[in-house]
Amino acid sequence: MTGDKRSYVIGQTEIPARPLEPALYLVATPIGNLADITLRALETLAAADIVACEDTRVSRVLLDRYGIRRRTTAYHEHNAGEAGPKLIAALEAGQSVALISDAGTPLISDPGYRLVGEALDHGLRVVPIPGPSAALAALTASGLPSDAFLFAGFLPVKTGQRLTRLEALKAVPATLIFFESPRRLAETLCAMVEALGGARKAAIGRELTKTFEEMRTGTLQVLADHYTAADMPKGEIVICVGPAEARADQPEDIDRLLLSLAAEMPASKAAAEAAKMTGGQKQALYRRLLELRDAGGGEGGD
């Protein structure tokens, strides 16, 4: 549909959309439950001159749900080379373009970053319209540390490459977040046990925000055993893996860590951070840091 009516419908109420300034708008859309769309996203989609979609058929379900009649065009991995320059030309001509993926926040495991890079290279404005994200939804419900996390996308399909990638991520001091296909979930969890250790805490988010939503938690070994024995799950999968358990390293390593942290923060906070990272006691680490400073003539304190 390519009508010029710029409005959206909530319930029985039709709401006119305010005009948009020329820019590339990155619009997050629901990952399952269509009610998760934001009001700002609806108004942006209704007002945009062009709505660029990963799959126009998938996006049409959302647009029809809210009575949005806008021109849509496909922009995806296989046509980015051809479609991208056309969208850039539209932006340079003073039009507004809203970019959406099939679900969630654009640019997360899709080629939208190329379009953003091209827009920025041409001096064009890029505006994020935040909203749903499967990675963040799974992280917040996983019970795993969220102060530091790394989104690692999809792992390689080939066994050797997958193990190599996991080995490279093994020492990252953060919760790891992956997307995975249901048919490879059990195999991937077994690979994680091999590369990361079966004792790591983990969580599996399946069909998040949808009718059969499920969050399953446990160690990697427990989850690998469960999905190896169970029938292949259905739906979209997010895997969250907690960071390796902190352990006390050699005394000289701890000394270096303490001094490094103390160079950036007060001594008490440095000791607290070192305690989290090594599993040591804050009071003992604090005393050790003071000893190191006295021995080295260091300055500082609280």
Side-chain angles (χ1 to χ4, degrees):
M1 254 173 234
T2 58
D4 290 328
K5 197 169 188 179
R6 305 202 181 201
S7 63
Y8 56 100
V9 177
I10 298 179
Q12 301 299 316
T13 303
E14 183 175 353
I15 304 171
R18 293 169 295 182
L20 281 179
E21 294 182 2
L24 173 61
Y25 295 85
L26 311 176
V27 183
T29 57
I31 59 176
N33 191 324
L34 295 185
D36 289 338
I37 191 76
T38 69
L39 293 176
R40 188 182 178 203
L42 289 175
E43 184 170 47
T44 301
L45 292 173
D49 294 313
I50 302 172
V51 177
C53 314
E54 189 174 358
D55 187 324
T56 57
R57 297 165 298 179
V58 172
S59 297
R60 180 49 58 189
V61 174
L62 173 66
L63 299 179
D64 286 348
R65 168 67 176 79
Y66 290 101
I68 296 173
R69 305 280 190 264
R70 299 310 307 139
R71 173 188 172 190
T72 62
T73 186
Y75 178 84
H76 48 72
E77 180 181 3
H78 304 293
N79 79 339
E82 178 183 356
K86 294 180 180 178
L87 293 174
I88 295 298
L91 289 165
E92 291 185 316
Q95 292 187 293
S96 56
V97 176
L99 176 68
I100 60 178
S101 63
D102 286 349
T105 301
L107 279 66
I108 307 300
S109 287
D110 73 35
Y113 75 93
R114 300 177 194 166
L115 184 61
V116 171
E118 292 170 4
L120 294 175
D121 287 344
H122 284 76
L124 300 167
R125 186 180 175 206
V126 177
V127 181
I129 310 294
S133 166
L136 293 181
L139 174 64
T140 54
S142 70
L144 298 171
S146 58
D147 56 334
F149 58 89
L150 171 68
F151 175 68
F154 285 93
L155 288 167
V157 176
K158 294 184 177 180
T159 302
Q161 293 176 353
R162 181 169 52 217
L163 287 173
T164 298
R165 176 65 173 149
L166 287 170
E167 286 289 346
L169 296 171
K170 184 176 182 177
V172 174
T175 294
L176 307 176
I177 305 174
F178 305 89
F179 288 163
E180 190 50 279
S181 161
R183 65 179 181 274
R184 289 196 297 269
L185 177 59
E187 183 180 356
T188 293
L189 287 170
C190 290
M192 288 179 171
V193 169
E194 180 179 349
L196 306 179
R200 283 221 195 177
K201 294 180 180 179
I204 306 297
R206 186 179 68 83
E207 290 291 86
L208 296 175
T209 79
K210 300 177 185 177
T211 301
F212 299 104
E213 175 181 284
E214 177 186 33
M215 284 297 301
R216 183 176 292 273
T217 61
T219 64
L220 278 175
Q221 187 65 65
V222 167
L223 292 172
D225 291 344
H226 171 79
Y227 286 103
T228 298
D231 293 334
M232 186 182 74
K234 297 180 180 179
E236 305 292 331
I237 302 290
V238 184
I239 305 173
C240 297
V241 182
E245 290 293 329
R247 62 182 180 84
D249 293 311
Q250 296 298 320
E252 57 270 22
D253 293 332
I254 296 178
D255 288 351
R256 283 194 292 268
L257 174 62
L258 283 168
L259 291 172
S260 176
L261 291 171
E264 301 177 1
M265 61 188 72
S268 60
K269 187 174 182 180
E273 289 297 315
K276 292 179 184 178
M277 298 171 68
T278 66
Q281 294 184 346
K282 175 184 174 181
Q283 294 83 354
L285 291 167
Y286 180 74
R287 289 193 298 270
R288 178 57 182 162
L289 176 55
L290 295 183
E291 291 173 1
L292 291 170
R293 283 182 163 175
D294 289 342
E299 299 179 357
D302 294 327

